[in-house]
Amino acid sequence: YSSAASDVYKRQDMYEVYLKKGEERRILSGHSWVYANEVQEIKGKDKNGSLATVFTHDKKYIGKGYINHLSKILVRIFIRNDDIDDEEFYKKRIKAANDMRIDLGFDDAYRMVFAESDDLPALIIDKYADVLVMECLSLGISQRKDLIVKCLVDLFHPKGIFEKSEAQVLKKEGVPETQGVLYGEVPEKIVISENGVKMYVDVRNGQKTGYFLDQKENRMAIRRYAKDKTVLDCFSNSGGFSINAATVAKEVTAVDISEIQVKAVLENAALNGFKNVNAVCADVFEYLRLKKRENRKYGVVVLDPPAFTKSAAEVGDAYRGYKDINVLGLKLVEKGGYLVTSSCSHYMTPTLFQKMIVESAKESGRRVRLVEIRTQSPDHPSLLSMDETQYLKFYVLRVD
């Protein structure tokens, strides 16, 4: 950046945000978020959700992003040159994100746009066969959903586009939760292909955008551990791990607290003609304790819980929750079997997650060896300059 360049990016009707001295370092390294408490001064006047220009304390240009006075994240920077956020800009960014996934071999079902990681903060776009699902997680992006839909239609000609913006962060953004068809037709259930098996995706009733695409390659990876074994898939959701394991396992039991998801597991098993899958509607914590009392053992236990914490303040409680299920899970693994355990919470850092596993092994009285560490699928790339984009931990442990 340069002070001489700053005049180029100024507009009379645009907010100008000036940071406090020293607060620009993280943002210049590639992080997208400008927090309200990092700002020295705001000049200009425009509507909330409009494009704002961010400068250092000494008036050097940093970038542009949408402003929201209601949020602690005041500005989410996504333009660092002289671009403007018009239709051509969005088409270029979305096409570049999709091209990367195509280059990596993704085709039928994948995350097309991963927010900050694709330089489109707060925008999620998932592809399920010929349907696209959007998640708009900020005021600025929500205000531009019609423009984004037009770009998606022009670029990809989908059968339908569905919005599913229901995350807790929307309350902080002052944006109402929204769900519904934005374009074309969206069937009640979409059939996708994953790792050679078929899965129903219910975008209306499923969690997040309808399915957890970030575990796709990890679901494939557990097949080597599940071969000819009995598998217990905890927090199974619609059965991604269960169905992948069923291709090689002797028997699979899926457990989820949601009756809708238990039904989905059985429907997905039937879709693939698998007779070795059963599903139980139960609280996983209680179910694990029941199986412990019954002295039941499994060749593989899969723990894929929802994020136990959405904030740093809740990490202590989350840690205890993860430790509880991992201690129980380890006690249910037969000698020579495997515990497959994961966390999708950014606040449960890799260091903290591994510490929890070590403590769980000690408390369970089992000797464990770390066999494999994995993370989110490559269609969910992470920015090394932004820890928030690197969130999924996936460990495979051999239990003796």
Side-chain angles (χ1 to χ4, degrees):
Y1 59 82
S2 68
S3 57
S6 64
D7 291 338
V8 176
Y9 303 101
K10 290 185 180 180
R11 232 182 49 211
Q12 291 301 313
D13 61 339
M14 181 183 284
Y15 280 115
E16 295 175 12
V17 177
Y18 294 86
L19 301 181
K20 295 174 183 176
K21 188 174 183 178
E23 297 289 0
E24 74 279 0
R25 295 189 186 97
R26 173 179 52 82
I27 300 162
L28 289 174
S29 72
H31 203 287
S32 303
W33 299 348
V34 176
Y35 292 100
N37 62 3
E38 297 171 332
V39 173
Q40 182 71 46
E41 183 183 13
I42 301 175
K43 294 181 180 180
K45 189 170 179 63
D46 204 341
K47 65 178 182 178
N48 214 18
S50 64
L51 202 63
T53 310
V54 181
F55 300 90
T56 64
H57 75 285
D58 55 352
K59 300 181 173 58
K60 293 177 181 176
Y61 174 77
I62 298 177
K64 293 178 284 189
Y66 298 133
I67 193 168
N68 187 353
H69 295 282
L70 301 175
S71 174
K72 288 182 180 179
I73 304 173
L74 182 69
V75 182
R76 300 168 188 261
I77 293 176
F78 65 103
I79 298 173
R80 295 180 186 259
N81 53 18
D82 60 350
D83 284 347
I84 56 173
D85 61 331
D86 58 9
E87 181 179 332
E88 200 57 41
F89 170 86
Y90 272 100
K91 277 186 179 178
K92 183 178 178 182
R93 285 276 169 99
I94 292 169
K95 183 179 183 303
N98 186 66
D99 286 349
M100 173 193 157
R101 277 69 176 181
I102 299 302
D103 287 345
L104 292 173
F106 291 96
D107 50 17
D108 189 56
Y110 57 88
R111 176 146 295 180
M112 179 183 287
V113 173
F114 186 34
E116 282 79 1
S117 290
D118 287 303
D119 294 322
L120 288 168
L123 177 62
I124 301 289
I125 302 173
D126 286 342
K127 180 181 185 295
Y128 298 117
D130 50 6
V131 171
L132 302 178
V133 181
M134 280 177 53
E135 196 175 6
C136 301
L137 299 175
S138 74
L139 176 64
I141 284 294
S142 184
Q143 290 176 347
R144 289 155 180 84
K145 70 176 71 172
D146 290 344
L147 171 63
I148 295 167
V149 167
K150 185 179 187 308
C151 293
L152 293 173
V153 172
D154 290 348
L155 285 169
F156 307 114
H157 312 291
K159 179 179 180 180
I161 300 176
F162 192 84
E163 181 183 7
K164 194 168 187 185
S165 303
E166 300 177 325
Q168 292 180 358
V169 70
L170 290 172
K171 293 180 181 178
K172 300 175 182 177
E173 289 284 318
V175 178
E177 293 185 6
T178 307
Q179 174 174 310
V181 177
L182 297 176
Y183 168 83
E185 298 179 358
V186 177
E188 289 299 313
K189 290 180 182 174
I190 305 159
V191 178
I192 64 167
S193 176
E194 175 185 280
N195 304 328
V197 297
K198 294 188 181 300
M199 300 289 294
Y200 286 119
V201 174
D202 183 346
V203 299
R204 290 173 176 81
N205 299 308
Q207 295 182 29
K208 298 294 186 179
T209 64
Y211 192 58
F212 292 97
L213 293 165
D214 54 1
Q215 291 273 31
K216 174 181 178 177
E217 299 198 358
N218 298 337
R219 288 190 282 262
M220 182 69 178
I222 73 159
R223 295 185 186 187
R224 70 195 307 178
Y225 306 107
K227 186 173 174 57
D228 298 327
K229 292 185 174 65
T230 56
V231 177
L232 178 64
D233 178 16
C234 301
F235 309 97
S236 63
N237 199 253
S238 59
F241 279 107
S242 294
I243 301 305
N244 275 269
T247 61
V248 296
K250 185 188 303 179
E251 182 185 35
V252 179
T253 300
V255 184
D256 199 279
I257 199 167
S258 166
E259 290 183 4
I260 291 174
Q261 299 306 329
V262 167
K263 182 181 177 184
V265 173
L266 297 175
E267 288 174 345
N268 283 320
L271 179 64
N272 291 278
F274 294 148
K275 307 292 187 184
N276 57 341
V277 178
N278 60 80
V280 178
C281 185
D283 177 282
V284 169
F285 290 84
E286 294 177 3
Y287 189 83
L288 290 173
R289 289 187 174 90
L290 172 64
K291 294 299 137 180
K292 178 177 173 290
R293 289 194 298 271
E294 294 175 353
N295 199 31
R296 179 69 193 272
K297 299 291 183 183
Y298 299 88
V300 177
V301 174
V302 179
L303 302 175
D304 183 28
F308 286 163
T309 174
K310 299 287 187 179
S311 71
E314 299 171 350
V315 167
D317 289 340
Y319 189 94
R320 286 185 285 275
Y322 282 113
K323 185 177 174 183
D324 191 6
I325 59 167
N326 277 270
V327 170
L328 289 166
L330 283 164
K331 289 180 177 180
L332 295 182
V333 179
E334 65 189 24
K335 183 177 176 58
Y338 297 92
L339 178 73
V340 178
T341 182
S342 64
S343 167
C344 60
S345 172
H346 152 68
Y347 295 100
M348 193 71 174
T349 64
T351 300
L352 201 56
F353 189 64
Q354 188 156 321
K355 178 174 180 285
M356 178 277 300
I357 292 173
V358 171
E359 290 183 2
S360 298
K362 183 178 180 181
E363 190 168 319
S364 70
R366 304 301 297 271
R367 181 172 181 264
V368 305
R369 281 177 281 176
L370 178 59
V371 177
E372 189 172 4
I373 301 177
R374 302 176 66 88
T375 186
Q376 60 227 44
S377 179
D379 57 339
H380 293 62
S382 59
L383 291 176
L384 293 179
S385 58
M386 193 168 184
D387 290 345
E388 292 85 353
T389 61
Q390 176 65 49
Y391 64 93
L392 185 63
K393 283 76 58 181
F394 183 91
Y395 281 52
V396 180
L397 309 167
R398 179 170 172 104
V399 183
D400 294 324

